[in-house]
Structures are given as structure tokens and as C-alpha cells.
Amino acid sequence: MSSTAAAAPFWRAAGMTYVSYSNLCANLVRNCLKEPHKSESLNREKVHFSLSKWANGKPEKPVLRSDTPDA
């Protein structure tokens, strides 16, 4: 049995997806860092993206979005 197969039941038993488990672990590591590395890593975790709706076969003006509440 591989270590991945052995670990999977624990996060699944907790009702988590792999992505949520991974994000939780990443946040724990970031919070353990000392400055200036902590603030640098917190800035890198922000994700920005744009969405474009399509109408009549053409994209409309893109809307910039972010997954962080402060941006």
C-alpha cells in the first residue's frame, strides 16, 4: 500500500476534498513562517482571473475577479 492510498481515507473521512485538505495544509505552513517570508507567501497565494461572457458567438468585455475578499 502506498503512502498516498493510506492517507486518502483520513481527509475523506473528515468530509474534505483533496483541494480543501491541501489548502488547509498550505495555510498552516504559511502561518508558521517568520517575516518577511510570511508576508511574501501570503501575497503569492492571491489568485486573480478574468471572466468573459459570450453572446452571439463573440466574447463580451472581460470582468476581472479575485478569490480573495480584500481584492
Side-chain angles (χ1 to χ4, degrees):
M1 181 195 286
S2 71
S3 62
T4 305
F10 297 111
W11 52 264
R12 285 200 181 173
M16 301 176 79
T17 64
Y18 178 76
V19 172
S20 63
Y21 171 75
S22 177
N23 285 335
L24 177 70
C25 292
N27 285 331
L28 290 171
V29 170
R30 283 187 205 104
N31 289 330
C32 292
L33 295 173
K34 293 181 181 178
E35 290 297 338
H37 304 292
K38 184 175 184 174
S39 58
E40 289 173 5
S41 68
L42 290 172
N43 285 333
R44 276 197 306 264
E45 79 171 320
K46 295 178 183 174
V47 176
H48 305 282
F49 56 95
S50 65
L51 295 174
S52 295
K53 291 186 179 183
W54 287 70
N56 299 324
K58 295 184 180 180
E60 295 178 353
K61 184 177 178 183
V63 177
L64 294 177
R65 303 290 303 260
S66 177
D67 71 340
T68 55
D70 62 335

